[in-house]
Amino acid sequence: MFVAGKIFAVIPAAGMGTRLGAGIPKAFFELGGVTLLRRAYESLVAAGVDRVIIAASPDMHERARLECPDAVIVAGGKERADSVLCGLDAIADQLGHEAGADDVVLVHDAARALTPVEMIQRLMVVPDGVDCVVPALPVSDTIKQVDEQMRVVGTPARAALRAVQTPQACRLVTLLKANEAFQRDESGDFCPTDDASLIEWFGGTVVVAPGDERALKITHPIDVVIAEHYLA
Ligand code: C5P
């Protein structure tokens, strides 16, 4: 085990939040009077992250700056992965930091606003020989894999499945290299929905650590009800 060098966090917060239907980008939706973005940012700061970078749509930058005064704020991209990349680029371009072997970056969805600080702190130490640690929970549903005709083509053993959350703690150099390789890849047959899958695709080692129910991704209106329950 080693204690990380610098610890960065990138918050992709440029999603529209269409499924939540709040009429504003989801990161700026208020839960108990505080935006999801501010809650996520403050948890990362409380956990001891050195610098936080937020990727948000330009029309929300002023608001983001007010709510997260010490964060670096950059424009997001078309997909989540593009927004994460914009955030990663800022580490060198805006902070002038050259990635070292022991640096860690936590990529954390603003939508997981109630993630406990202790869970974030547990993830900040990436073991030797590991490139990425992701918080995960066992799944309670049986999961089917289907083809384009909706025919079931497989049922993975449930005991071996995990639902993953964020923050995902990656070695900064590995995530940068995985992103570079992905930018060069022209096959178009891989669409990463999280950062760990990009590292897996690149050939890195990803392990899971215990997640927490409170780190739920606030996506649909029912999630707001659950989150309010946790807040109460
Ligand atoms: O849409 P979804 O809930 O999967 O988004 C996860 C996170 O990625 C959210 O915090 C959202 O704001 C962010 N995102 C982004 N840029 C996009 C799409 C989503 O930063 N283009």
Side-chain angles (χ1 to χ4, degrees):
M1 303 282 274
F2 75 94
V3 176
K6 279 259 177 207
I7 302 177
F8 297 93
V10 171
I11 307 181
M16 290 318 297
T18 317
R19 289 168 291 181
L20 190 61
I24 45 162
K26 182 165 67 179
F28 297 88
F29 173 77
E30 289 186 13
L31 183 70
V34 181
T35 62
L36 301 184
L37 177 63
R38 183 167 178 177
R39 287 184 182 279
Y41 166 78
E42 286 182 349
S43 309
L44 290 163
V45 172
V49 165
D50 292 304
R51 288 308 296 264
V52 179
I53 299 128
I54 295 168
S57 65
D59 54 324
M60 301 309 288
H61 280 198
E62 206 180 316
R63 178 87 190 269
R65 229 169 261 124
L66 280 174
E67 304 223 326
C68 312
D70 292 324
V72 174
I73 297 164
V74 298
K78 191 164 167 280
E79 307 291 341
R80 180 189 184 277
D82 303 315
S83 297
V84 172
L85 191 54
C86 295
L88 291 175
D89 284 346
I91 295 175
D93 298 348
Q94 300 205 26
L95 296 175
H97 180 83
E98 196 182 322
D102 290 349
D103 294 335
V104 165
V105 59
L106 305 178
V107 184
H108 189 34
D109 289 335
R112 296 189 188 272
L114 298 187
T115 303
V117 172
E118 316 81 69
M119 182 180 124
I120 300 173
Q121 284 173 328
R122 281 202 302 269
L123 293 158
M124 283 162 57
V125 178
V126 178
D128 284 339
V130 169
D131 297 294
C132 175
V133 185
V134 296
L137 294 173
V139 294
S140 47
D141 292 323
T142 295
I143 308 287
K144 301 285 182 195
Q145 187 178 355
V146 295
D147 65 13
E148 281 168 10
Q149 283 76 45
M150 292 299 117
R151 260 194 308 248
V152 172
V153 295
T155 306
R158 190 170 61 190
L161 295 177
R162 294 291 180 275
V164 303
Q165 305 177 315
T166 72
Q168 300 194 341
C170 309
R171 285 183 192 276
L172 177 58
V173 278
T174 314
L175 189 57
L176 289 171
K177 282 184 195 159
N179 266 290
E180 270 168 33
F182 182 58
Q183 299 302 308
R184 281 196 309 270
D185 180 61
E186 286 171 359
S187 68
D189 49 14
F190 171 57
C191 177
T193 49
D194 72 348
D195 307 282
S197 55
L198 194 59
I199 289 183
E200 290 160 51
W201 171 84
F202 185 62
T205 302
V206 179
V207 298
V208 296
D212 192 296
E213 298 285 354
R214 290 166 290 177
L216 83 162
K217 186 161 83 165
I218 297 169
T219 308
H220 299 106
I222 185 66
D223 301 322
V224 177
V225 178
I226 299 168
E228 280 167 349
H229 165 78
Y230 285 136
L231 269 185

